[in-house]
Amino acid sequence: MTTGVAAIVLGWQKILASLDHLLSKGLEYAEATGTPEQEMLEWRLAPDMYPLRHQAQFVCNLVRQWAARAAGSEPGNDIGGDCGLDRIRAEIADVRIFLAGLEPDRFPDCDDRLLTVDLTVMSPTLPVAQWITGFATTNIIFHLTTLYAILRSRGVPLGKADLFAGGL
C-alpha cells in the first residue's frame, strides 16, 4: 500500500521533470538572445536573493534529502557551487534515478516516526509526515516557483503549463 508520504515523495519526480523543462526553456531563450549560459545561471529576482543556479540546486538537494529522510536512508551529497547547466541537469537525472529506486514500502510509520532536524535557528522534532507535507514540499515548490519567476522576469516565454510539464 502506498502511504500519503510515499505518494508525495515519489510524486516529486514530476517536479524534477518540470525543473528540467524550465531550464531547457531558459537555455533556449538565452541562446536566442545571445546570453551566455553562465550569465543566465546568475539571473536573480533581487540582489539579495539566490540566483537561478542555486534555485535549481535547492530543488535537487531538497528532493534528495527529504526523500532519503522519509525512507530512512542516507541522502548522499548535495550539489553546490558554481556548476554549469550540464552538471545541474545531470543531478536532476541522478535524483530521479534515486527516487525511482525507492519503493513505497520504504516509508513506514511516517505519521508516527519522529525526526529532529537542525534548521540552524531551531531544531524541531516532528513526525516525518509533517516534515514532508509542511516543510519539504513547501520549500521544493518555493524554489521551483522562484526559478520560474526568475526566467519570466528575464522575458523567457513561459506559462503556467510549463510548471506542470512533468505531469499532473
Side-chain angles (χ1 to χ4, degrees), residues 3-4 20 35 53 70 79 86 89 95 112 118 135 145 148 156:
T3 67
D20 192 52
T35 304
R53 167 193 338 268
I79 181 175
D86 287 344
R89 294 181 91 185
V95 177
D112 300 320
D118 180 8
F135 182 82
T145 304
Y148 172 93
V156 177

Side-chain angles (χ1 to χ4, degrees), residues 77-118:
N77 296 325
D78 285 348
I79 181 175
D82 291 334
C83 60
L85 194 54
D86 287 344
R87 175 68 182 98
I88 293 168
R89 294 181 91 185
E91 183 65 13
I92 292 168
D94 288 347
V95 177
R96 292 189 79 191
I97 291 167
F98 173 73
L99 286 179
L102 296 176
E103 295 295 326
D105 63 1
R106 295 277 311 269
F107 302 91
D109 305 320
C110 286
D111 289 332
D112 300 320
R113 187 166 33 103
L114 296 178
L115 179 64
T116 302
V117 178
D118 180 8

Side-chain angles (χ1 to χ4, degrees), residues 24-103:
S24 293
K25 298 281 277 191
L27 182 60
E28 287 172 20
Y29 180 81
E31 289 172 345
T33 59
T35 304
E37 176 186 313
Q38 290 304 312
E39 183 179 324
M40 179 197 84
L41 290 171
E42 288 303 313
W43 289 347
R44 55 185 81 214
L45 285 177
D48 64 339
M49 291 183 74
Y50 287 108
L52 185 134
R53 167 193 338 268
H54 291 165
Q55 302 299 334
Q57 291 170 341
F58 291 145
V59 172
C60 292
N61 292 341
L62 287 165
V63 168
R64 184 189 302 270
Q65 290 167 5
W66 285 100
R69 286 178 175 135
S73 63
E74 291 298 316
N77 296 325
D78 285 348
I79 181 175
D82 291 334
C83 60
L85 194 54
D86 287 344
R87 175 68 182 98
I88 293 168
R89 294 181 91 185
E91 183 65 13
I92 292 168
D94 288 347
V95 177
R96 292 189 79 191
I97 291 167
F98 173 73
L99 286 179
L102 296 176
E103 295 295 326

